[in-house]
Amino acid sequence: MTSNFHIFGNFKMHAAGRLLREYASLVGDTRLGLLVPHPYLSQAAHLFQDTHVVVGAQSVSGHAQGAHTGQVSVGMLQELGVGTVMIGHSEVRQQGGDFKAALALAQAAGLRVIYCIGEDISAYESGKRDDVLSAQLADLTTLDQVMVAYEPVWSIGTGVVASVDDINAAVSMIRQWLLENIPGNSGEATVLYGGSINENNCEAVADADINGFLMGGASLKPKVMLEVVKLCKQRSY
Ligand code: PEP
C-alpha cells in the first residue's frame, strides 16, 4: 500500500459522450484519470479542464506523421492539450504496432505514459509469465513520466481477478527488472494493476504492492468508479 494511489478508467471503444457528462456532474474534486476514445478527447479535455480529472488517450501511433491512415499521432494529442497516453494495452497489442517507437515519441514529447504489459493464459499456465513481461518491458528505455500497468490478459474483462500473491510475484519481478535495466531508476517505479477490478474486490487487491488501478468495465459506471476511489481514498494521490 502506498500514499500515492492512482486510479485510471479505460472506456475502451464505448460511446462516451453521455458517460463523460455523467462523470462531470459527479466528480467534484475527485482525483482520477479517464482514458477515452480519440473522438471524445476534445470534449473530455474541455469538460474536465478545471477539475482533478486527468484525460488520456488509449493509444498513439509509433509514427510521428505521414501516410498512416486511421492512426493518431503524439502531435495531435498535444494539440488537443492531452498530456497522458496509454501504450501497449493488450487489446491494442493484438492489432500489432511499434510500441517501442510510440513510447519514444510520447516520452520525447513529455507525455505521461501508462505502459501496459501482461501475459496471456498460456504463458501464465506454462510458467512463462516473466519471459513475456521482460520482453514487453524491453521496449522501455527510460522511466520518465511512465507508469507501468501490469494487466494479466486472462484477467481483463473476464471477472477473474489475479490473486494478491500472483500480483505481488509479477510486480516484484517488474520492479526488479526495471531496477536492473533502466538507467537512473531508483526503484520507485509506479506500477498499477488492471484486471476485473470493481467496488467489491478493490480493497483486497489494493493490499498488493501496487500504486493504483487501471479499470476497464467498471469505469463505464461512474458511480462504481467513484466508489472505488472512495474506498481506496486513504491511498489516493
Ligand atoms: C482494461 O481494459 O485495461 C481492464 C483492466 O479491463 P477490466 O477492468 O474490464 O478487466
Side-chain angles (χ1 to χ4, degrees):
M1 188 195 308
T2 68
S3 55
N4 283 342
F5 205 81
H6 308 269
I7 299 180
F8 285 85
N10 169 24
F11 290 177
K12 310 192 188 227
M13 199 182 71
H14 293 284
R18 223 170 46 195
L19 191 54
L20 287 169
R21 286 194 295 279
E22 198 179 336
Y23 268 103
S25 72
L26 295 172
V27 283
D29 60 1
T30 306
R31 291 177 186 271
L32 84 161
L34 296 176
L35 306 170
V36 309
H38 292 132
Y40 298 93
L41 283 170
S42 191
Q43 178 189 355
H46 178 71
L47 268 176
F48 297 113
Q49 63 187 347
D50 297 321
T51 73
H52 296 291
V53 174
V54 169
V55 173
Q58 298 174 2
S59 66
V60 73
S61 177
H63 302 283
Q65 60 172 6
H68 305 290
T69 303
Q71 297 195 36
V72 168
S73 71
V74 163
M76 293 172 187
L77 298 183
Q78 285 184 298
E79 215 172 316
L80 293 176
V82 172
T84 299
V85 64
M86 179 163 68
I87 294 177
H89 190 280
S90 67
E91 289 152 15
V92 179
R93 284 185 190 272
Q94 280 170 4
Q95 301 158 26
D98 186 343
F99 302 109
K100 193 178 176 75
L103 280 166
L105 287 168
Q107 289 184 281
L111 263 59
R112 169 156 60 175
V113 172
I114 300 168
Y115 182 55
C116 302
I117 60 172
E119 80 285 1
D120 64 15
I121 189 68
S122 70
Y124 175 75
E125 286 178 346
S126 60
K128 297 254 163 49
R129 180 196 62 208
D130 291 0
D131 296 341
V132 172
L133 298 183
S134 310
Q136 293 171 339
L137 285 168
D139 281 347
L140 275 176
T141 49
T142 152
L143 274 184
D144 277 355
Q145 297 267 73
V146 172
M147 298 182 177
V148 174
Y150 170 56
E151 298 208 299
V153 177
W154 46 271
S155 178
I156 297 177
T158 60
V160 180
V161 188
S163 69
V164 167
D165 283 352
D166 269 340
I167 296 171
N168 280 342
V171 171
S172 152
M173 178 264 147
I174 291 165
R175 292 192 191 285
Q176 189 60 31
W177 191 97
L178 294 170
L179 204 55
E180 286 169 11
N181 294 280
I182 302 290
N185 168 26
S186 57
E188 298 296 315
T190 300
V191 185
L192 315 179
Y193 166 78
S196 297
I197 290 295
N198 60 35
E199 74 279 31
N200 300 315
N201 58 30
C202 61
E203 287 179 286
V205 181
D207 282 338
D209 177 27
I210 55 173
N211 309 99
F213 294 134
L214 177 52
M215 298 167 56
S219 72
L220 301 175
K221 299 177 198 140
K223 286 187 180 147
V224 169
M225 185 76 176
L226 294 173
E227 178 68 9
V228 170
V229 175
K230 197 171 122 204
L231 288 169
C232 299
K233 198 173 168 213
Q234 68 277 25
R235 301 155 166 138
S236 211
Y237 68 157

